Each structure stands twice: as C-alpha cells, then as structure tokens.
C-alpha cells in the first residue's frame, strides 16, 4: 500500500528540517560540548522509540537493554550537570 507514501515522506522531511534547525540553534546558543551531548543522547532516544509497538520493526525491550540505556542517559546527565 503506497498510497500513504507521500505523507510519510513529508512527515520525515518536516522532522528532519526541524532536527537540523535545532542542531544549528544548539551550536549557535550553546557550545560544541552541548551539541556533542545532544547528539550522543540521540542513540538511547532512538532505541526507546523502537520499543513503541506502532513503530514498524519494533522489538520487545529486554531488561538488560533498558538498564544499559538508562545507564547511558544517567551518565550523560551527570556529565552535563556535575561540577
């Protein structure tokens, strides 16, 4: 069923445009360290998205995966806000 393909491509383009604008704003108003942290945080966030049942190709989360992703997120937050 390719009838919805133009809608999906349009949604992708809007989100990709917004994502790239956000990256430019982070770099403009923050610094490269904050940009690096936000790019690193994208990996666990994308993994969490694939746990949503409505996403094509979703997988059931395993306890070890969740613990690992939460550990990465906690490490990033601690790195950002620790003195």
């Amino acid at each position: 069923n390719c009838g919805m393909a133009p809608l999906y491509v349009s949604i992708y383009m809007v989100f990709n445009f917004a994502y790239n604008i956000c990256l430019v704003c982070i770099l403009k108003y923050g610094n490269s360290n904050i940009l690096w942290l936000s790019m690193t945080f994208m990996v666990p966030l994308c993994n969490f998205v694939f746990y949503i049942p409505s996403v094509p190709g979703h997988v059931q989360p395993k306890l070890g995966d969740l613990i690992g992703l939460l550990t990465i997120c906690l490490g990033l937050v601690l790195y950002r806000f620790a003195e």
Side-chain angles (χ1 to χ4, degrees):
N1 184 8
C2 295
M4 297 295 290
L7 175 67
Y8 293 144
V9 171
S10 299
I11 291 172
Y12 167 77
M13 288 174 39
V14 167
F15 277 102
N16 192 17
F17 183 74
Y19 172 74
N20 287 323
I21 294 296
C22 287
L23 287 181
V24 170
C25 289
I26 288 172
L27 192 55
K28 182 178 179 181
Y29 297 111
N31 57 25
S32 61
N33 195 22
I34 294 174
L35 179 64
W36 179 83
L37 284 173
S38 64
M39 296 293 290
T40 304
F41 191 70
M42 289 298 294
V43 173
L45 182 64
C46 290
N47 281 325
F48 282 126
V49 168
F50 279 107
Y51 293 148
I52 299 172
S54 61
V55 173
H58 78 282
V59 295
Q60 294 296 327
K62 298 175 186 163
L63 182 61
D65 294 340
L66 292 175
I67 291 172
L69 292 173
L70 290 175
T71 303
I72 291 171
C73 292
L74 180 64
L76 290 170
V77 169
L78 288 175
Y79 177 76
R80 173 66 178 105
F81 294 110
E83 291 187 36

